[in-house]
Amino acid sequence: MHPLMNRFHADQQRRFMELLGVDETAAPLVTRRVFLQSAGATGLAIGFGWLSPTDADAALPGAYYGKLLQNADTERRIGRAPWAPDAVVHTAWDLGIGDSTAIWFAQVVGQETRLIDYYENFGVGLDHYAKILRDKLYVYGEHILPHDAQVADLSTGRSRLQTLATLGISGRVLPREPNIEDGINAVRNLLPRCWFDAEKCARGLEALRQYRCDYDAERKIYSARPRHDWTSHAADAFRYLARGLPDGAAVQPRRDRYAPRRDGEGTWMSA
């Protein structure tokens, strides 16, 4: 490749890594996918051949979900995942302590699980996330939380589950995960039914593509547990979604988010 083209592609990749908030050393294989989708392209000219947007993902050793997401690409399940106003939106959270908090927004419509939105942030309180949910047009169903959401904070004496409740978010806490492999398998079972909004879920998708275990070159084996890095937050939240997505979610009725509640019903944050 001509040196100028090398520099152009490197600059473009760096710009999109910055957009996604990805560290270059932590994510050396951030793909050209986001650049190509934004440019409306289907491949990148290199020499006399073409590199498809999925080639880099396929080359990532130890990735848990790479092949399944390649299939989703091939089947055109990554692109538009339209919000269905008549169906509730479920959220699944990875709650960070001194770390990022990640939230997936999902709907079950017929046989499809639609990932319509994703949000991640760092260094802000739970009131910030409550406002993010409140400002969206969605009518919410379940808010799925990890087991440690009910652990009391030493500084306040209240758990994050209790704090969220005071902010209008009635969460459901999952039991502790005895084996992370069970959760990873739950994700693998769910992904073939998933449709993703490529734009709104861009960072979460890239994290799922790169979520992986390390390879010990000396011992020639993969580690038993996933690497903990920037991908962990989105991947953990998605694992909670796969474990906690309620049965019969598709048939839960939509309710006017501003309608008055009868006694005993939930807040505006739940259907």
Side-chain angles (χ1 to χ4, degrees):
M1 187 189 300
H2 192 280
L4 288 177
M5 290 300 291
N6 266 326
R7 189 170 66 184
F8 170 76
H9 292 141
D11 288 346
Q12 291 299 316
Q13 184 170 355
R14 190 176 305 110
R15 287 176 59 195
F16 277 89
M17 288 172 75
E18 290 170 358
L19 177 65
L20 290 171
V22 177
D23 183 275
E24 252 183 298
T25 58
L29 284 178
V30 165
T31 69
R32 298 169 179 84
R33 181 191 314 275
V34 177
F35 168 64
L36 294 170
Q37 285 175 342
S38 300
T42 57
L44 181 65
I46 294 185
F48 294 103
W50 286 84
L51 175 67
S52 77
T54 57
D55 285 343
D57 298 326
L60 187 61
Y64 288 101
Y65 311 129
K67 178 62 177 173
L68 289 165
L69 289 169
Q70 265 189 271
N71 292 344
D73 262 330
T74 302
E75 295 165 7
R76 299 184 178 181
R77 289 184 285 110
I78 298 177
R80 288 190 67 249
W83 167 48
D86 290 333
V88 296
V89 175
H90 304 287
T91 66
W93 303 51
D94 177 52
L95 293 165
I97 301 178
D99 220 338
S100 293
T101 287
I103 307 172
W104 285 98
F105 297 77
Q107 290 187 295
V108 181
V109 181
Q111 298 301 308
E112 301 173 1
T113 299
R114 298 182 185 176
L115 285 306
I116 61 170
D117 211 339
Y118 175 81
Y119 185 76
E120 183 177 328
N121 210 330
F122 170 81
V124 292
L126 291 174
D127 57 327
H128 170 83
Y129 300 102
K131 184 178 187 304
I132 291 295
L133 267 65
R134 189 165 58 245
D135 287 348
K136 294 181 182 291
L137 297 176
Y138 310 143
V139 176
Y140 293 97
E142 297 256 309
H143 300 288
I144 302 164
L145 306 175
H147 75 277
D148 56 3
Q150 55 193 351
V151 176
D153 188 309
L154 294 177
S155 62
T156 65
R158 288 195 303 183
S159 68
R160 287 173 290 176
L161 178 66
Q162 292 170 317
T163 300
L164 286 169
T166 66
L167 295 168
I169 300 174
S170 178
R172 176 166 64 89
V173 177
L174 295 177
R176 187 180 186 92
E177 199 170 39
N179 185 343
I180 195 170
E181 281 296 329
D182 291 342
I184 289 171
N185 286 332
V187 172
R188 287 171 171 154
N189 289 332
L190 177 64
L191 279 173
R193 303 195 304 274
C194 288
W195 296 67
F196 291 87
D197 188 296
E199 181 178 347
K200 291 183 178 179
C201 299
R203 180 178 172 86
L205 268 169
E206 197 59 49
L208 291 180
R209 290 184 185 109
Q210 296 196 47
Y211 185 59
R212 63 196 187 275
C213 57
D214 285 316
Y215 181 70
D216 186 330
E218 185 175 331
R219 299 169 61 198
K220 295 182 172 52
I221 59 171
Y222 287 100
S223 64
R225 294 187 63 83
R227 170 190 293 196
H228 183 75
D229 59 12
W230 72 275
T231 68
S232 302
H233 315 296
D236 287 351
F238 201 89
R239 199 169 70 250
Y240 303 143
L241 178 72
R243 291 178 55 213
L245 198 64
D247 293 334
V251 299
Q252 294 184 29
R254 182 187 187 280
R255 181 175 290 156
D256 185 342
R257 70 200 299 263
Y258 295 112
R261 302 282 171 173
R262 298 189 296 272
D263 290 343
E265 290 190 329
T267 66
W268 61 270
M269 297 297 284
S270 59

